[in-house]
Amino acid sequence: MSSIWNLAHPWLRDLVAYEPGKPIEDVARELGLEPSSIIKLASNENPLGPSPKALEAMRATLERSHFYPDGGGYYLREAIGKRCGLKRENVILGCGSNEVIEFIGHAFLKPGDEIVTASHAFVVYKLMATLFGARTVEVADPGFKHDLDAMAAAITPATREVFVANPNNPTGTLVSQEEIDRFMDKVPDHVVVVFDEAYYEFLHNPPDTLKYVRQGRNVVVLRTFSKIQGLANLRIGYGLANPELISVLQKTRQPFNANGIAQAGALAGLLDDEHQLKTKQITDQGRDYLQESFGKLGLEYVPSHANFVLVKVGDGKAMFSTLMKQGIIVRDMTSYKLPEWIRVSVGTMDQNQRFIEALSAILKPGA
Ligand SMILES: *Cc1c(COP(=O)(O)O)cnc(C)c1O
């Protein structure tokens, strides 16, 4: 360990970098493939792209690139509040909802504290806890589903935050309203509960967690424009909480964390119900097709409530590489302690079919 590590916070040594889905540009460069021939089903992005209305609003805002953005995010927070039956004071914007996870860490975590999460939960919770020197308690999730009773039982006097990803990434599993209500009855006041609802808009009968925000509980609900809205490149998401909790989080952010082009695109996209509905429909059809195809191939998969499916293929890393050579990017799950699995995002029907054909040929050569 070089001497600079003796100066840095010791817990940073344990911090492993987040492994993102492999970008199309990387695969094209490394394998000498045409970028347009590559399909990326690795980051749960919207295969339809952004809403045309969002694109139009962003183009108009480009002309104003020399102005600093509205750091307070007035119009977007106002519109989000209205959509959720809340007020602007209930909303904080982030550079992706991932940044809001960091705000929550800044506000509540110090070395020695604990967070509670599920064993196969979205990995960013643990990365953020590590960043602040806190310890992550990972609770077993039988059938890949968060066990909220066990998570409540794992809360100690040292616990500051509990993360519930609903639906969870990478498993796609959902906890019910009843399970959430029973959990919230048990959570003590010294704990902030974070419901990460990045895939909320894909649900058909979503549980209500905003009632706990309205009740003034220590709850943050996270949502994002990266998934159903197809604006992942812009980095914009938000947290919903009671006004006092939001005012604490506001202190932890940089003055212009949400850029103006992102705010304009998000605002226009938020109001474009048609694009969201279309996305939801192709996601439902595509997910059914993928799951049905996995069934026919005799592959174990986790029935999903989101725009991706976790499927067991044997050697996940090998499958990832073989598919990549054919211009299909999926996600290998080694960093989630699931080396036999891959996660595939729902694409357009053409993309889904190309993926299933390639997968079938790899699994049953000559068939
Ligand atoms: C994709 C995702 C997010 C959103 O990240 P952004 O920073 O908003 O792009 C948050 N939580 C989960 C569980 C996700 O899968």
Short mmCIF file of all heavy atoms in Angstrom, two decimals, residues 18 43-44 94-101 121-125 164-170 196-199 222-227 231-238 307-308 336 343, ligand 1:
data_model
loop_
_atom_site.label_atom_id
_atom_site.label_comp_id
_atom_site.label_asym_id
_atom_site.label_seq_id
_atom_site.Cartn_x
_atom_site.Cartn_y
_atom_site.Cartn_z
N TYR A 18 -18.17 0.63 -8.86
CA TYR A 18 -19.40 0.12 -9.46
C TYR A 18 -19.09 -0.37 -10.87
O TYR A 18 -18.38 0.28 -11.62
CB TYR A 18 -20.43 1.25 -9.51
CG TYR A 18 -21.73 0.88 -10.16
CD1 TYR A 18 -22.64 0.05 -9.51
CD2 TYR A 18 -22.07 1.35 -11.42
CE1 TYR A 18 -23.84 -0.30 -10.11
CE2 TYR A 18 -23.26 1.01 -12.03
CZ TYR A 18 -24.15 0.18 -11.37
OH TYR A 18 -25.33 -0.15 -11.97
N SER A 43 -28.45 -2.40 -19.20
CA SER A 43 -28.59 -1.36 -18.17
C SER A 43 -30.03 -0.91 -17.95
O SER A 43 -30.27 0.16 -17.40
CB SER A 43 -27.71 -0.16 -18.51
OG SER A 43 -26.35 -0.55 -18.60
N ASN A 44 -30.98 -1.75 -18.38
CA ASN A 44 -32.40 -1.47 -18.15
C ASN A 44 -32.85 -0.13 -18.72
O ASN A 44 -33.67 0.58 -18.12
CB ASN A 44 -32.73 -1.58 -16.65
CG ASN A 44 -32.23 -2.88 -16.06
OD1 ASN A 44 -32.04 -3.86 -16.79
ND2 ASN A 44 -32.00 -2.91 -14.76
N GLY A 94 -31.72 14.89 -7.95
CA GLY A 94 -30.36 14.39 -7.89
C GLY A 94 -29.79 14.17 -9.28
O GLY A 94 -30.54 14.07 -10.25
N CYS A 95 -28.48 14.09 -9.36
CA CYS A 95 -27.78 13.71 -10.58
C CYS A 95 -27.95 12.19 -10.70
O CYS A 95 -27.07 11.41 -10.34
CB CYS A 95 -26.31 14.12 -10.46
SG CYS A 95 -25.34 13.77 -11.91
N GLY A 96 -29.15 11.80 -11.13
CA GLY A 96 -29.58 10.41 -11.01
C GLY A 96 -30.09 10.20 -9.58
O GLY A 96 -29.70 10.93 -8.67
N SER A 97 -30.98 9.22 -9.40
CA SER A 97 -31.42 8.96 -8.02
C SER A 97 -30.26 8.40 -7.20
O SER A 97 -30.26 8.46 -5.98
CB SER A 97 -32.63 8.03 -7.98
OG SER A 97 -32.38 6.84 -8.66
N ASN A 98 -29.24 7.90 -7.90
CA ASN A 98 -28.03 7.47 -7.19
C ASN A 98 -27.43 8.58 -6.34
O ASN A 98 -26.91 8.33 -5.26
CB ASN A 98 -26.97 6.99 -8.19
CG ASN A 98 -27.13 5.52 -8.49
OD1 ASN A 98 -27.21 4.70 -7.59
ND2 ASN A 98 -27.20 5.18 -9.76
N GLU A 99 -27.50 9.81 -6.84
CA GLU A 99 -26.93 10.90 -6.05
C GLU A 99 -27.74 11.13 -4.78
O GLU A 99 -27.18 11.51 -3.74
CB GLU A 99 -26.84 12.19 -6.87
CG GLU A 99 -25.91 13.19 -6.17
CD GLU A 99 -25.93 14.58 -6.76
OE1 GLU A 99 -26.95 14.99 -7.37
OE2 GLU A 99 -24.93 15.29 -6.60
N VAL A 100 -29.04 10.89 -4.85
CA VAL A 100 -29.85 11.06 -3.65
C VAL A 100 -29.45 10.02 -2.58
O VAL A 100 -29.47 10.31 -1.38
CB VAL A 100 -31.36 11.01 -3.98
CG1 VAL A 100 -32.20 11.29 -2.74
CG2 VAL A 100 -31.70 12.00 -5.09
N ILE A 101 -29.07 8.83 -3.04
CA ILE A 101 -28.56 7.81 -2.10
C ILE A 101 -27.31 8.37 -1.38
O ILE A 101 -27.14 8.19 -0.18
CB ILE A 101 -28.23 6.49 -2.83
CG1 ILE A 101 -29.48 5.93 -3.52
CG2 ILE A 101 -27.64 5.46 -1.86
CD1 ILE A 101 -29.21 4.73 -4.44
N ALA A 121 -29.60 -7.12 -3.05
CA ALA A 121 -30.15 -5.80 -3.36
C ALA A 121 -29.22 -5.04 -4.31
O ALA A 121 -28.05 -5.40 -4.48
CB ALA A 121 -30.34 -5.00 -2.08
N PHE A 122 -29.75 -3.99 -4.90
CA PHE A 122 -28.97 -3.06 -5.73
C PHE A 122 -27.69 -2.69 -4.97
O PHE A 122 -27.72 -2.35 -3.80
CB PHE A 122 -29.84 -1.81 -5.95
CG PHE A 122 -29.29 -0.80 -6.91
CD1 PHE A 122 -28.78 -1.19 -8.15
CD2 PHE A 122 -29.32 0.56 -6.60
CE1 PHE A 122 -28.31 -0.24 -9.05
CE2 PHE A 122 -28.86 1.51 -7.50
CZ PHE A 122 -28.34 1.11 -8.72
N VAL A 123 -26.55 -2.80 -5.66
CA VAL A 123 -25.25 -2.78 -4.99
C VAL A 123 -24.82 -1.38 -4.52
O VAL A 123 -23.96 -1.24 -3.67
CB VAL A 123 -24.20 -3.44 -5.92
CG1 VAL A 123 -23.83 -2.52 -7.07
CG2 VAL A 123 -22.97 -3.88 -5.15
N VAL A 124 -25.46 -0.35 -5.08
CA VAL A 124 -25.04 1.02 -4.76
C VAL A 124 -25.24 1.38 -3.27
O VAL A 124 -24.47 2.18 -2.72
CB VAL A 124 -25.76 2.04 -5.68
CG1 VAL A 124 -25.49 3.47 -5.27
CG2 VAL A 124 -25.30 1.83 -7.13
N TYR A 125 -26.22 0.74 -2.61
CA TYR A 125 -26.43 1.05 -1.18
C TYR A 125 -25.17 0.72 -0.39
O TYR A 125 -24.74 1.50 0.46
CB TYR A 125 -27.62 0.26 -0.61
CG TYR A 125 -28.85 0.25 -1.50
CD1 TYR A 125 -29.57 -0.92 -1.71
CD2 TYR A 125 -29.26 1.40 -2.16
CE1 TYR A 125 -30.69 -0.94 -2.53
CE2 TYR A 125 -30.37 1.38 -2.98
CZ TYR A 125 -31.07 0.22 -3.17
OH TYR A 125 -32.16 0.19 -4.00
N VAL A 164 -34.93 -0.58 0.83
CA VAL A 164 -35.85 -1.55 0.23
C VAL A 164 -35.99 -1.18 -1.25
O VAL A 164 -36.57 -0.14 -1.57
CB VAL A 164 -37.23 -1.52 0.92
CG1 VAL A 164 -38.18 -2.51 0.26
CG2 VAL A 164 -37.10 -1.79 2.41
N ALA A 165 -35.42 -1.99 -2.13
CA ALA A 165 -35.54 -1.73 -3.57
C ALA A 165 -36.78 -2.47 -4.05
O ALA A 165 -36.87 -3.69 -3.92
CB ALA A 165 -34.31 -2.22 -4.30
N ASN A 166 -37.74 -1.73 -4.59
CA ASN A 166 -39.04 -2.33 -4.91
C ASN A 166 -39.60 -1.80 -6.22
O ASN A 166 -40.13 -0.69 -6.24
CB ASN A 166 -40.00 -2.05 -3.75
CG ASN A 166 -41.07 -3.10 -3.63
OD1 ASN A 166 -40.82 -4.29 -3.88
ND2 ASN A 166 -42.26 -2.69 -3.25
N PRO A 167 -39.56 -2.56 -7.32
CA PRO A 167 -38.92 -3.86 -7.45
C PRO A 167 -37.40 -3.74 -7.31
O PRO A 167 -36.84 -2.69 -7.59
CB PRO A 167 -39.27 -4.32 -8.87
CG PRO A 167 -40.21 -3.32 -9.44
CD PRO A 167 -40.16 -2.11 -8.60
N ASN A 168 -36.80 -4.85 -6.89
CA ASN A 168 -35.35 -4.84 -6.72
C ASN A 168 -34.63 -5.08 -8.05
O ASN A 168 -35.12 -5.79 -8.91
CB ASN A 168 -34.95 -5.93 -5.72
CG ASN A 168 -33.45 -5.95 -5.47
OD1 ASN A 168 -32.82 -4.90 -5.29
ND2 ASN A 168 -32.85 -7.13 -5.48
N ASN A 169 -33.50 -4.47 -8.18
CA ASN A 169 -32.55 -4.74 -9.28
C ASN A 169 -31.35 -5.41 -8.63
O ASN A 169 -30.80 -4.84 -7.70
CB ASN A 169 -32.16 -3.40 -9.92
CG ASN A 169 -31.05 -3.52 -10.93
OD1 ASN A 169 -30.71 -4.62 -11.36
ND2 ASN A 169 -30.47 -2.38 -11.29
N PRO A 170 -30.91 -6.57 -9.07
CA PRO A 170 -31.16 -7.25 -10.34
C PRO A 170 -32.18 -8.38 -10.29
O PRO A 170 -32.27 -9.13 -11.27
CB PRO A 170 -29.78 -7.87 -10.62
CG PRO A 170 -29.28 -8.28 -9.27
CD PRO A 170 -29.81 -7.23 -8.32
N ASP A 196 -36.54 2.41 -2.74
CA ASP A 196 -36.00 2.74 -4.05
C ASP A 196 -36.95 2.21 -5.11
O ASP A 196 -37.06 0.99 -5.31
CB ASP A 196 -34.60 2.12 -4.20
CG ASP A 196 -33.92 2.52 -5.50
OD1 ASP A 196 -34.62 3.01 -6.42
OD2 ASP A 196 -32.69 2.33 -5.60
N GLU A 197 -37.66 3.12 -5.75
CA GLU A 197 -38.70 2.75 -6.71
C GLU A 197 -38.33 3.18 -8.13
O GLU A 197 -39.11 3.80 -8.85
CB GLU A 197 -40.04 3.37 -6.26
CG GLU A 197 -40.46 2.87 -4.88
CD GLU A 197 -41.81 3.42 -4.38
OE1 GLU A 197 -42.35 4.35 -5.02
OE2 GLU A 197 -42.29 2.92 -3.36
N ALA A 198 -37.12 2.80 -8.54
CA ALA A 198 -36.61 3.17 -9.88
C ALA A 198 -37.50 2.60 -10.99
O ALA A 198 -37.55 3.17 -12.09
CB ALA A 198 -35.17 2.69 -10.05
N TYR A 199 -38.20 1.50 -10.71
CA TYR A 199 -39.02 0.83 -11.73
C TYR A 199 -40.51 0.96 -11.44
O TYR A 199 -41.33 0.21 -11.97
CB TYR A 199 -38.61 -0.65 -11.85
CG TYR A 199 -37.14 -0.79 -12.15
CD1 TYR A 199 -36.21 -0.95 -11.12
CD2 TYR A 199 -36.67 -0.70 -13.46
CE1 TYR A 199 -34.85 -1.03 -11.38
CE2 TYR A 199 -35.32 -0.77 -13.73
CZ TYR A 199 -34.41 -0.94 -12.69
OH TYR A 199 -33.07 -1.00 -12.96
N LEU A 222 -37.36 6.97 -3.61
CA LEU A 222 -36.51 7.34 -4.75
C LEU A 222 -37.15 6.95 -6.06
O LEU A 222 -37.63 5.82 -6.20
CB LEU A 222 -35.14 6.65 -4.65
CG LEU A 222 -34.29 6.90 -3.43
CD1 LEU A 222 -33.01 6.07 -3.52
CD2 LEU A 222 -33.97 8.38 -3.30
N ARG A 223 -37.16 7.86 -6.99
CA ARG A 223 -37.63 7.56 -8.36
C ARG A 223 -36.64 8.18 -9.34
O ARG A 223 -35.81 9.00 -8.96
CB ARG A 223 -39.04 8.14 -8.59
CG ARG A 223 -40.05 7.68 -7.54
CD ARG A 223 -41.25 6.99 -8.12
NE ARG A 223 -42.11 6.49 -7.05
CZ ARG A 223 -43.32 6.96 -6.77
NH1 ARG A 223 -43.86 7.91 -7.51
NH2 ARG A 223 -44.03 6.44 -5.78
N THR A 224 -36.77 7.82 -10.62
CA THR A 224 -35.76 8.26 -11.58
C THR A 224 -36.33 8.48 -12.98
O THR A 224 -37.37 7.90 -13.33
CB THR A 224 -34.60 7.23 -11.66
OG1 THR A 224 -33.62 7.71 -12.58
CG2 THR A 224 -35.09 5.86 -12.13
N PHE A 225 -35.65 9.28 -13.75
CA PHE A 225 -35.97 9.47 -15.17
C PHE A 225 -35.12 8.57 -16.07
O PHE A 225 -35.18 8.65 -17.28
CB PHE A 225 -35.78 10.95 -15.56
CG PHE A 225 -36.82 11.85 -14.95
CD1 PHE A 225 -36.57 12.48 -13.74
CD2 PHE A 225 -38.05 12.03 -15.55
CE1 PHE A 225 -37.53 13.29 -13.15
CE2 PHE A 225 -39.02 12.83 -14.97
CZ PHE A 225 -38.76 13.47 -13.76
N SER A 226 -34.29 7.73 -15.44
CA SER A 226 -33.36 6.90 -16.22
C SER A 226 -34.03 5.68 -16.85
O SER A 226 -33.51 5.11 -17.80
CB SER A 226 -32.22 6.40 -15.33
OG SER A 226 -31.48 7.46 -14.82
N LYS A 227 -35.15 5.24 -16.31
CA LYS A 227 -35.69 3.96 -16.73
C LYS A 227 -36.88 4.16 -17.66
O LYS A 227 -36.68 4.28 -18.87
CB LYS A 227 -36.02 3.12 -15.49
CG LYS A 227 -34.80 2.93 -14.56
CD LYS A 227 -33.74 2.03 -15.14
CE LYS A 227 -32.34 2.20 -14.56
NZ LYS A 227 -32.16 2.00 -13.15
N LEU A 231 -34.14 8.55 -20.07
CA LEU A 231 -33.23 9.70 -19.99
C LEU A 231 -31.99 9.40 -19.13
O LEU A 231 -31.46 10.29 -18.46
CB LEU A 231 -33.99 10.92 -19.43
CG LEU A 231 -35.18 11.42 -20.27
CD1 LEU A 231 -35.95 12.51 -19.52
CD2 LEU A 231 -34.71 11.94 -21.63
N ALA A 232 -31.52 8.16 -19.19
CA ALA A 232 -30.40 7.75 -18.33
C ALA A 232 -29.14 8.59 -18.55
O ALA A 232 -28.39 8.88 -17.61
CB ALA A 232 -30.08 6.27 -18.57
N ASN A 233 -28.94 9.03 -19.79
CA ASN A 233 -27.75 9.80 -20.14
C ASN A 233 -27.72 11.17 -19.44
O ASN A 233 -26.65 11.74 -19.22
CB ASN A 233 -27.73 9.99 -21.66
CG ASN A 233 -26.35 10.28 -22.20
OD1 ASN A 233 -25.45 10.69 -21.47
ND2 ASN A 233 -26.17 10.08 -23.50
N LEU A 234 -28.88 11.68 -19.10
CA LEU A 234 -28.97 13.03 -18.52
C LEU A 234 -28.64 13.06 -17.05
O LEU A 234 -28.33 14.11 -16.51
CB LEU A 234 -30.39 13.58 -18.68
CG LEU A 234 -30.89 13.78 -20.08
CD1 LEU A 234 -32.28 14.40 -20.04
CD2 LEU A 234 -29.95 14.73 -20.82
N ARG A 235 -28.72 11.91 -16.39
CA ARG A 235 -28.50 11.80 -14.96
C ARG A 235 -29.48 12.68 -14.18
O ARG A 235 -29.12 13.75 -13.69
CB ARG A 235 -27.04 12.15 -14.58
CG ARG A 235 -25.97 11.50 -15.42
CD ARG A 235 -26.07 9.98 -15.44
NE ARG A 235 -26.10 9.44 -14.09
CZ ARG A 235 -27.07 8.64 -13.64
NH1 ARG A 235 -28.08 8.26 -14.42
NH2 ARG A 235 -27.02 8.19 -12.41
N ILE A 236 -30.69 12.25 -14.11
CA ILE A 236 -31.63 12.98 -13.26
C ILE A 236 -32.64 12.04 -12.61
O ILE A 236 -33.23 11.18 -13.26
CB ILE A 236 -32.32 14.16 -14.02
CG1 ILE A 236 -33.20 14.95 -13.06
CG2 ILE A 236 -33.12 13.69 -15.24
CD1 ILE A 236 -33.14 16.42 -13.25
N GLY A 237 -32.76 12.20 -11.31
CA GLY A 237 -33.70 11.41 -10.52
C GLY A 237 -34.12 12.26 -9.33
O GLY A 237 -33.74 13.42 -9.23
N TYR A 238 -34.93 11.67 -8.43
CA TYR A 238 -35.39 12.48 -7.30
C TYR A 238 -35.73 11.64 -6.09
O TYR A 238 -35.92 10.43 -6.17
CB TYR A 238 -36.59 13.35 -7.70
CG TYR A 238 -37.76 12.62 -8.32
CD1 TYR A 238 -38.88 12.28 -7.56
CD2 TYR A 238 -37.76 12.27 -9.68
CE1 TYR A 238 -39.97 11.64 -8.14
CE2 TYR A 238 -38.83 11.62 -10.25
CZ TYR A 238 -39.93 11.31 -9.48
OH TYR A 238 -41.00 10.66 -10.05
N ASN A 307 -38.26 -4.06 -15.97
CA ASN A 307 -37.94 -4.17 -17.40
C ASN A 307 -36.66 -4.97 -17.65
O ASN A 307 -35.88 -4.64 -18.54
CB ASN A 307 -37.84 -2.77 -18.03
CG ASN A 307 -36.68 -1.97 -17.45
OD1 ASN A 307 -36.18 -2.29 -16.37
ND2 ASN A 307 -36.25 -0.94 -18.14
N PHE A 308 -36.47 -6.02 -16.85
CA PHE A 308 -35.31 -6.90 -17.02
C PHE A 308 -35.66 -8.24 -16.39
O PHE A 308 -36.62 -8.32 -15.61
CB PHE A 308 -34.07 -6.30 -16.33
CG PHE A 308 -34.31 -5.97 -14.88
CD1 PHE A 308 -34.20 -6.96 -13.91
CD2 PHE A 308 -34.67 -4.70 -14.49
CE1 PHE A 308 -34.46 -6.67 -12.57
CE2 PHE A 308 -34.92 -4.41 -13.14
CZ PHE A 308 -34.81 -5.39 -12.20
N TYR A 336 -22.77 -9.43 -8.17
CA TYR A 336 -23.92 -9.64 -7.29
C TYR A 336 -23.89 -11.03 -6.64
O TYR A 336 -24.92 -11.51 -6.18
CB TYR A 336 -25.22 -9.44 -8.07
CG TYR A 336 -25.62 -7.98 -8.23
CD1 TYR A 336 -25.24 -7.26 -9.35
CD2 TYR A 336 -26.34 -7.31 -7.24
CE1 TYR A 336 -25.60 -5.91 -9.49
CE2 TYR A 336 -26.70 -5.99 -7.37
CZ TYR A 336 -26.32 -5.30 -8.50
OH TYR A 336 -26.67 -3.97 -8.63
N ARG A 343 -28.30 -10.97 -16.27
CA ARG A 343 -29.51 -10.14 -16.25
C ARG A 343 -29.65 -9.53 -17.64
O ARG A 343 -28.70 -8.97 -18.18
CB ARG A 343 -29.39 -9.03 -15.21
CG ARG A 343 -30.72 -8.28 -14.96
CD ARG A 343 -30.50 -6.96 -14.25
NE ARG A 343 -29.78 -6.07 -15.13
CZ ARG A 343 -29.11 -4.99 -14.72
NH1 ARG A 343 -29.06 -4.67 -13.45
NH2 ARG A 343 -28.48 -4.23 -15.60
C1 LIG B 1 -31.30 2.11 -12.30
C2 LIG B 1 -31.54 2.18 -10.84
C3 LIG B 1 -31.51 3.38 -10.16
C4 LIG B 1 -31.43 4.68 -10.92
O1 LIG B 1 -30.23 5.20 -11.04
P1 LIG B 1 -30.08 6.66 -11.63
O2 LIG B 1 -28.97 7.20 -10.82
O3 LIG B 1 -31.36 7.41 -11.38
O4 LIG B 1 -29.78 6.50 -13.07
C5 LIG B 1 -31.74 3.40 -8.81
N1 LIG B 1 -32.01 2.27 -8.14
C6 LIG B 1 -32.09 1.09 -8.77
C7 LIG B 1 -32.45 -0.11 -7.98
C8 LIG B 1 -31.84 1.01 -10.12
O5 LIG B 1 -31.88 -0.17 -10.74
#
